[in-house]
Amino acid sequence: MKTGWIPFEKSESGGAAQAGESKQIPDTFKDAYGVYDLIPYPVGQEPAKLRKLVKQSSILPQCNLAYKQNVTGFGRGLRYKANESDKTGQDEWERAEEMLETVVLDKPLESFLGELVDDLNEGGNAYIEVSRDGGLPALFRMNPDNVRCSKEAKKVKVEYKRLYKNQVKTYTQVRWVRKYAQMVGQDIVWYREFGVKQEEFPESQNEIIHLKIGQNGAYGEPFWIGNTPGVVGTRNAETLNVDYFDNGRMLSMILTIINGELTNASIESLKATKGRPSQGGILVLEAIGYEKGNGAKDEKEKTEIKLDKLNDLLQQDALFLEYVKEKRQDVLSSFRLPPIYIGRSDDYNLATSNTARRIAEEQVFIPLRNWLMDEIFNYRLFPAYDIYRVEAFLRGPKIVDPDERKQLLDYLADRGIMLVSHLIPIAEEVLNTTIDEKKYSKEYLDTPIAQLFNQPQFPLPSGDDVQEKVVSIAKRLLRQSEAEAGIHV
């Protein structure tokens, strides 16, 4: 009798077993640390290794995308500092606006800043090369894989210019500074910290701005670094599930041969009895009995094959399911992100989602936007080019509760607190346009809206909907402005 599975083909997938395997990532700086007195990344926190973990994670990419979109995805703007206006800083405004438009020429500035946010979230570090060869600076993203910093090289005098009580003053500080090395092919290119004069490091070509999360040493670390075991464990749990569905459960029974042994063909057949290809098949085993001990060569012992179950309980559909859920919550907590930001909105309604977004804005995204623009522009590039009265900022989403807004507008309008000049920004937002305030007299702009409601020449829609009143007055303002200017405003 021929032994073997009927019918069967051996599974060659092996995908699950190989899914979590990774090769050692080489360090291009391995021979340069001692020669140039450079500092290596902490073990396990090399940018390439952390980025590989992010790509293999089922939760980190969504968190990174949420940060990138909410920090840089709503555009940028300029504004005057307190007590400043066109009268004191119009020239600075124009130069700042030109800098924001030209500092990155091959892509929008928001896309460039988004790449930096990605670098920070993946590895905790982002590097910006600053070139001042032209009239205005140029910024270039540097791959964190190719950058290392030295130990504190020397103590130098650094000058800072700041606006204090409407006057520009120069402040001097003496501090330790580092050099930065970039590996280009087999060569090293040196950079100095932004604001340090080239005479301090003649070998440096350009300046560098090092953005990092945390202050624990020379390098930063991502928000999720404390959850690294959970990230790895989640990946392994998911890989185990794939392997379970591909190759079946682990050892579930024991096969015992009494007074004999299986033929080689039967053993080979048993080796192939796993995975989907074995489902619905028939296994035929052949055993050879041992000879009896009475000297009769043709007599064999009675051979018996026994199958004993080791586990009668069925496995769950997915192993470590609760563990994966808990680890995802831990990662969200490290980013301080509500679940709605990664598409998990089953437990949210309009009120709770607005509350979650408002808290995330106040606690996470607004501070990060301010920090990013301060570190690059407001405290570095702008003062270096004599721009002190203007600051750059990143915009955020408009999170408005319609009921709260209606109640507020109703309250202000009824009590005569809200003026026509206060209405114009609301009208611009509602109609997505710009109204030229110069077309109106100061007396008209200072008119309380409550008085407009009572004037018959300004017909208003019936009902108590303040939003409709706002739109009606806004449209009238637009028509009047167009008629006076002769163009669309």
Side-chain angles (χ1 to χ4, degrees):
M1 178 184 296
K2 183 179 180 181
T3 62
W5 286 95
I6 308 173
F8 270 105
E9 291 181 1
K10 186 176 180 180
S11 172
E12 297 179 354
S13 60
Q18 299 172 4
E21 296 178 0
S22 61
K23 297 181 179 179
Q24 186 69 25
I25 301 176
D27 186 354
T28 55
F29 283 87
K30 64 179 181 179
D31 297 326
Y33 291 114
V35 176
Y36 299 106
D37 210 17
L38 299 177
I39 302 176
Y41 280 95
V43 177
Q45 295 187 25
E46 295 84 351
K49 291 182 180 179
L50 293 179
R51 187 168 58 252
K52 190 176 185 66
L53 282 178
V54 171
K55 290 183 178 180
Q56 292 182 344
S57 173
S58 61
I59 186 62
L60 288 176
Q62 298 94 302
C63 295
N64 292 348
L65 184 60
Y67 262 64
K68 180 178 179 179
Q69 175 60 38
N70 284 277
V71 172
T72 66
F74 298 98
R76 54 174 168 79
L78 284 173
R79 61 192 172 205
Y80 283 114
K81 294 182 178 180
N83 303 321
E84 304 294 340
S85 63
D86 285 343
K87 295 181 180 179
T88 59
Q90 184 173 3
D91 176 64
E92 292 186 14
W93 180 287
E94 293 175 354
R95 287 190 287 116
E97 192 171 37
E98 182 181 4
M99 182 184 296
L100 293 180
E101 290 289 339
T102 60
V103 72
V104 179
L105 291 175
D106 59 340
K107 65 188 69 173
L109 178 58
E110 292 83 352
S111 298
F112 175 80
L113 296 175
E115 294 174 359
L116 301 180
V117 173
D118 271 344
D119 288 341
L120 288 169
N121 284 334
E122 288 181 351
N125 298 275
Y127 302 94
I128 309 169
E129 178 184 355
V130 183
S131 174
R132 300 206 212 184
D133 293 339
L136 289 174
L139 302 183
F140 305 93
R141 171 189 171 269
M142 304 171 69
N143 189 343
D145 293 357
N146 303 327
V147 180
R148 300 291 188 275
C149 72
S150 72
K151 298 179 181 178
E152 293 179 332
K154 62 166 61 174
K155 212 171 187 179
V156 302
K157 183 183 294 184
V158 183
E159 293 183 350
Y160 302 90
K161 292 184 178 180
R162 295 291 182 264
L163 183 66
Y164 179 71
K165 293 185 177 180
N166 296 325
Q167 293 183 353
V168 178
K169 294 186 176 182
T170 301
Y171 301 89
T172 302
Q173 291 182 350
V174 178
R175 63 182 180 87
W176 287 95
V177 296
R178 306 177 188 274
K179 293 191 300 180
Y180 287 82
Q182 181 186 31
M183 185 70 71
V184 180
Q186 300 297 322
D187 301 324
I188 287 183
V189 180
W190 292 99
Y191 297 85
R192 64 190 185 277
E193 290 186 36
F194 186 87
V196 177
K197 296 180 180 179
Q198 187 171 9
E199 61 191 42
E200 300 290 350
F201 299 104
E203 69 276 18
S204 62
Q205 295 187 357
N206 287 322
E207 296 165 285
I208 190 172
I209 296 176
H210 179 192
L211 305 177
K212 63 180 181 179
I213 298 175
Q215 301 296 327
N216 299 323
Y219 300 108
E221 53 191 20
F223 295 117
W224 53 271
I225 193 65
N227 286 307
T228 301
V231 172
V232 176
T234 300
R235 173 68 177 184
N236 290 337
E238 292 168 343
T239 301
L240 179 62
N241 277 322
V242 174
D243 186 76
Y244 170 71
F245 290 118
D246 190 51
N247 295 313
R249 68 177 69 180
M250 291 178 281
L251 183 64
S252 58
M253 65 178 61
I254 184 170
L255 185 146
T256 306
I257 311 297
I258 301 175
N259 294 329
E261 61 184 28
L262 292 177
T263 63
N264 291 333
S266 296
I267 293 174
E268 293 299 321
S269 296
L270 279 173
K271 290 180 180 180
T273 58
K274 64 177 182 177
R276 288 189 300 270
S278 65
Q279 296 176 2
I282 299 174
L283 177 63
V284 178
L285 297 177
E286 183 180 22
I288 301 175
Y290 295 135
E291 295 181 358
K292 290 185 177 181
N294 56 9
K297 295 183 179 181
D298 295 334
E299 294 186 26
K300 302 290 184 180
E301 294 281 359
K302 181 180 179 182
T303 303
E304 184 180 355
I305 299 177
K306 292 179 60 179
L307 292 175
D308 296 312
K309 295 182 180 180
L310 297 181
N311 185 6
D312 289 332
L313 299 177
L314 293 177
Q315 296 281 7
Q316 297 179 358
D317 288 342
L319 306 176
F320 303 108
L321 185 60
E322 291 302 320
Y323 171 81
V324 172
K325 289 181 179 179
E326 290 179 2
K327 294 301 109 180
R328 285 177 177 173
Q329 290 296 330
D330 290 343
V331 172
L332 282 175
S333 177
S334 66
F335 280 94
R336 296 192 297 165
L337 278 178
I340 193 173
Y341 277 91
I342 60 168
R344 298 179 177 272
S345 57
D346 295 340
D347 298 331
Y348 284 89
N349 54 37
L350 180 60
T352 56
S353 63
N354 282 339
T355 301
R357 293 175 62 202
R358 185 178 291 112
I359 293 175
E361 276 291 307
E362 294 174 353
Q363 299 296 318
V364 180
F365 297 128
I366 291 178
L368 186 53
R369 293 189 199 107
N370 294 339
W371 174 79
L372 191 63
M373 298 305 277
D374 286 345
E375 288 289 321
I376 300 175
F377 293 101
N378 298 330
Y379 282 80
R380 297 182 190 269
L381 290 178
F382 281 0
Y385 286 83
D386 297 325
I387 300 173
Y388 310 99
R389 295 172 171 81
V390 179
E391 61 183 7
F393 67 96
L394 288 170
R395 303 183 188 277
K398 300 292 183 181
I399 303 177
V400 179
D401 187 318
D403 292 334
E404 291 181 359
R405 181 171 181 174
K406 179 181 183 300
Q407 293 174 7
L408 177 61
L409 292 175
D410 199 0
Y411 178 87
L412 296 176
D414 288 347
R415 285 155 181 79
I417 300 175
M418 197 170 185
L419 308 179
V420 172
S421 59
H422 300 150
L423 175 65
I424 290 178
I426 302 175
E428 292 176 336
E429 178 185 344
V430 172
L431 300 175
N432 193 26
T433 188
T434 302
I435 298 175
D436 189 358
E437 297 184 25
K438 298 179 182 179
K439 302 301 179 182
Y440 305 98
S441 66
K442 186 177 184 303
E443 292 75 13
Y444 177 72
L445 293 175
D446 291 339
T447 303
I449 295 176
Q451 294 183 14
L452 297 179
F453 291 165
N454 299 323
Q455 297 181 16
Q457 64 268 36
F458 301 134
L460 295 172
S462 59
D464 296 330
D465 192 341
V466 178
Q467 295 284 357
E468 292 185 6
K469 295 177 182 178
V470 170
V471 174
S472 176
I473 296 176
K475 290 181 178 179
R476 178 181 55 73
L477 288 174
L478 280 176
R479 287 195 296 270
Q480 183 176 344
S481 180
E482 291 175 356
E484 293 180 359
I487 57 174
H488 181 70
V489 294

